[in-house]
Amino acid sequence: MAVQLRIGVFQRSCQVFIQQVRNCVVFGGIPADKDIAKFIPEKGKIYDKKPFKIALKQGKTYSWCICGRSHSQPLCDGMHKVMKTSFQPVRFTVEEDKEVWLCNCKQTNKRPYCDGTHKQPEIQAAIR
């Protein structure tokens, strides 16, 4: 996926791969090895237009699906490997047992948690 990014006065055109930037051409004197992947949040296929409420257990590691292709939504089942996507699941743990709303539209900026992005008209229109 070719990505063009503007940060301040700098323009960067890069090919983005699994959580790294390779073959990057950087304009403006910023070193090419600078990790800019955090500025290019790759977002997956919209799976659903509403979040998923789930009970999480303290200390357990969860893998949230970011590609949107898992058959075990909102958690990862490895479909990103089968589909040969560049996506990697977001792995996380919680410090106490609790219920949370995990993002199912895959467009959140608070990964893996829902931030209400699914309410945007373009997300609602994407899934009928």
Side-chain angles (χ1 to χ4, degrees):
M1 169 175 64
V3 176
Q4 197 166 62
L5 172 69
R6 291 178 189 262
I7 300 176
V9 297
F10 302 109
Q11 180 175 336
R12 302 168 186 172
S13 181
C14 298
Q15 184 71 22
V16 179
F17 292 95
I18 305 169
Q19 297 179 357
Q20 318 180 24
V21 177
R22 297 183 183 145
N23 303 326
C24 185
V25 179
V26 179
F27 302 97
I30 293 180
D33 64 345
K34 184 90 170 158
D35 179 19
I36 65 167
K38 63 185 174 186
F39 299 116
I40 310 171
E42 196 171 5
K43 298 192 177 174
K45 174 181 172 286
I46 296 172
Y47 177 77
D48 198 356
K49 58 183 175 182
K50 58 188 179 309
F52 185 89
K53 189 174 185 179
I54 187 171
L56 302 176
K57 300 290 182 191
Q58 174 187 6
K60 182 176 178 183
T61 299
Y62 296 90
S63 295
W64 175 72
C65 170
I66 194 169
C67 75
R69 300 186 186 281
S70 171
H71 297 282
S72 303
Q73 292 291 340
L75 303 177
C76 177
D77 67 0
M79 280 302 291
H80 63 280
K81 294 176 189 173
V82 174
M83 302 296 291
K84 298 185 187 316
T85 71
S86 63
F87 295 106
Q88 292 289 313
V90 173
R91 290 186 173 80
F92 68 101
T93 59
V94 292
E95 295 179 3
E96 61 187 37
D97 291 355
K98 62 181 173 179
E99 285 189 343
V100 298
W101 291 94
L102 295 183
C103 175
N104 245 359
C105 75
K106 311 304 175 187
Q107 309 305 300
T108 184
N109 291 314
K110 305 261 185 198
R111 296 174 182 177
Y113 305 104
C114 175
D115 67 357
T117 301
H118 65 276
K119 296 175 185 175
Q120 295 178 4
E122 60 273 14
I123 305 292
Q124 291 294 306
I127 301 290
R128 294 277 171 192

